[in-house]
Amino acid sequence: MRMTQLSSEHQTPNHKPSKPTEEQLQNELHFHLAEKMLMKLREKELISKEEFNQINKLNRQKFTPLLGPLMCDKP
């Protein structure tokens, strides 16, 4: 893997990340609670891997978690 150092002209000066809104935080919490329950269902083999992935995809659409796009599907 090759790494390149960015020069100062490529960096955004004084860029501060915005704080998440109350709604975004609620969605994040609800997503993680739903994911935890979903994983328990999968561990107990009450749902198939395909069902897990389908429900997980729907949860990502419904709750639009902040970290969702960074996380991969878990079986």
Side-chain angles (χ1 to χ4, degrees), residues 5-56:
Q5 184 176 2
L6 295 176
S7 65
S8 60
E9 65 189 39
H10 290 104
Q11 297 176 357
T12 307
N14 300 326
H15 180 266
K16 294 181 183 177
S18 60
K19 288 186 178 182
T21 65
E22 185 70 29
E23 183 180 7
Q24 288 173 318
L25 291 173
Q26 282 292 326
N27 281 341
E28 191 76 20
L29 175 64
H30 292 154
F31 171 77
H32 288 287
L33 291 173
E35 183 179 46
K36 193 171 188 175
M37 291 190 316
L38 190 59
M39 290 176 74
K40 285 184 181 185
L41 290 172
R42 179 66 188 127
E43 288 170 3
K44 293 180 180 184
E45 297 182 0
L46 297 173
I47 59 173
S48 69
K49 184 176 181 179
E50 291 78 22
E51 290 170 317
F52 173 90
N53 289 333
Q54 287 176 337
I55 296 168
N56 197 24

